[in-house]
Amino acid sequence: MSDVEKLWELQSVLTQLNDRERQMSVKPDAFAAIDSEYQRSNEEMVRLQGQLDQMGKERRRVDGELSDQQELLKKYQGQLMQVKNQQQYAAAWKEIDATRKHVKELEESELKNMTDADVVQKQLDDRKAGYDDLQRRYDEAHEQWQHSLGDLRQEADELRKRAEMIEAGIPERLRNEFHRIYKQRQQIAVARVERDTCSACRTRVRPALAQQLKRGEVGHCEGCHRILYMEGRTQS
Ligand SMILES: [Zn+2]
């Protein structure tokens, strides 16, 4: 096998390896569907719990204000006993009236808070009830995906080993050149010549260069500077 043939072989092994690695990085549809349902459900539960916490906080705040207002009410009612004239009496009643109104508002707000919290708690409970089943389905799909990756992983390992073996048989200078072009040119260092044209960039291969390639020598595309590979060259 000539050096160019080895480079071509290396290119095709690395292309297959890239393909496996890309496949391994993509979630299969079956898993992606359950994964997004799972993530949504988790986010929703966090959101509901956050809402409940916020409501609890608000309820404690209203509780505090309510007991303050009830203390105040007692104070005004005490004052009512000590009024000395009609004017003071009217003023004390005005305070009591306003405070009672405020207490009523706070009580109503607390009641609404509790009713709302019940609704949210029910939503959260429903989510939690279905969660074990969702978790089981998620685990199953994940397991299946990982299992299917096992084959791909094995293939990728084998391809990596093959690439190493091929590389070991390529002169260092050429190997370095291959990797330099590979990095610079979208992971294609070697391009096949098809009908006297570079298959990567469609630049025409001049006859002199074609002759060189036919002799099994290393030649570069004048357009994209990739190493050219010509199939079925005459044996030298
Ligand atoms: Zn080219």
Side-chain angles (χ1 to χ4, degrees):
M1 205 190 263
S2 74
D3 286 344
V4 184
E5 281 168 329
K6 287 177 195 162
L7 289 173
W8 174 250
E9 176 79 0
L10 178 60
Q11 176 67 62
S12 96
V13 169
L14 290 180
T15 302
Q16 290 174 61
L17 179 58
N18 288 338
D19 173 65
R20 302 301 184 279
E21 283 174 346
R22 195 173 48 244
Q23 283 185 53
M24 282 192 281
S25 72
V26 175
K27 289 176 189 170
D29 289 348
F31 177 70
I34 182 84
D35 183 45
S36 97
E37 188 186 344
Y38 183 70
Q39 304 303 338
R40 263 204 317 276
S41 193
N42 276 312
E43 282 163 20
E44 182 64 4
M45 288 203 296
V46 168
R47 192 185 69 77
L48 291 169
Q49 188 58 59
Q51 233 178 323
L52 278 177
D53 292 347
Q54 194 58 40
M55 285 167 157
K57 223 162 138 187
E58 172 65 8
R59 200 155 57 233
R60 281 190 296 281
R61 189 190 69 75
V62 171
D63 267 346
E65 207 184 331
L66 195 56
S67 64
D68 287 352
Q69 290 295 313
Q70 276 157 346
E71 280 302 308
L72 209 56
L73 195 59
K74 270 186 212 156
K75 197 185 100 188
Y76 293 141
Q77 281 164 339
Q79 281 172 2
L80 196 62
M81 308 299 173
Q82 293 152 22
V83 293
K84 295 183 175 69
N85 56 44
Q86 191 63 30
Q87 206 180 359
Q88 282 179 356
Y89 184 81
W93 258 116
K94 206 177 151 191
E95 294 286 10
I96 288 171
D97 209 37
T99 309
R100 274 185 182 155
K101 247 183 221 156
H102 197 175
V103 164
K104 193 162 175 276
E105 277 166 18
L106 289 170
E107 281 171 351
E108 274 166 6
S109 142
E110 198 161 57
L111 197 65
K112 183 176 183 307
N113 182 310
M114 283 160 78
T115 313
D116 290 350
D118 280 351
V119 173
V120 175
Q121 184 67 56
K122 169 117 185 26
Q123 287 175 348
L124 185 59
D125 290 346
D126 286 351
R127 284 267 170 199
K128 280 183 178 161
Y131 195 73
D132 282 351
D133 180 54
L134 179 60
Q135 179 78 56
R136 187 184 51 72
R137 285 188 296 132
Y138 174 87
D139 288 346
E140 262 176 31
H142 190 261
E143 167 80 27
Q144 263 174 22
W145 175 30
Q146 291 304 306
H147 187 76
S148 74
L149 284 190
D151 297 342
L152 278 171
R153 268 200 206 106
Q154 201 185 336
E155 282 174 37
D157 283 347
E158 280 161 14
L159 287 164
R160 241 174 252 122
K161 272 187 213 132
R162 246 179 91 193
E164 272 172 38
M165 266 176 58
I166 299 164
E167 286 198 36
I170 298 170
E172 192 184 346
R173 188 190 54 77
L174 208 51
R175 196 165 63 218
N176 291 342
E177 189 187 338
F178 175 94
H179 284 293
R180 184 174 50 74
I181 304 173
Y182 185 83
K183 263 186 221 139
Q184 287 170 351
R185 305 265 160 195
Q186 295 85 39
Q187 302 187 317
I188 297 174
V190 183
R192 197 211 302 257
V193 176
E194 284 163 2
R195 288 196 221 96
D196 293 329
T197 305
C198 167
S199 62
C201 76
R202 301 286 155 206
T203 295
R204 194 135 187 92
V205 176
R206 288 189 290 126
L209 179 55
Q211 285 306 314
Q212 191 187 329
L213 297 176
K214 276 178 189 150
R215 286 196 298 271
E217 291 169 22
V218 176
H220 297 83
C221 170
E222 288 172 22
C224 65
H225 306 294
R226 290 185 173 95
I227 299 163
L228 290 172
Y229 168 70
M230 189 178 271
E231 227 166 9
R233 63 181 183 84
T234 52
Q235 297 297 313
S236 55

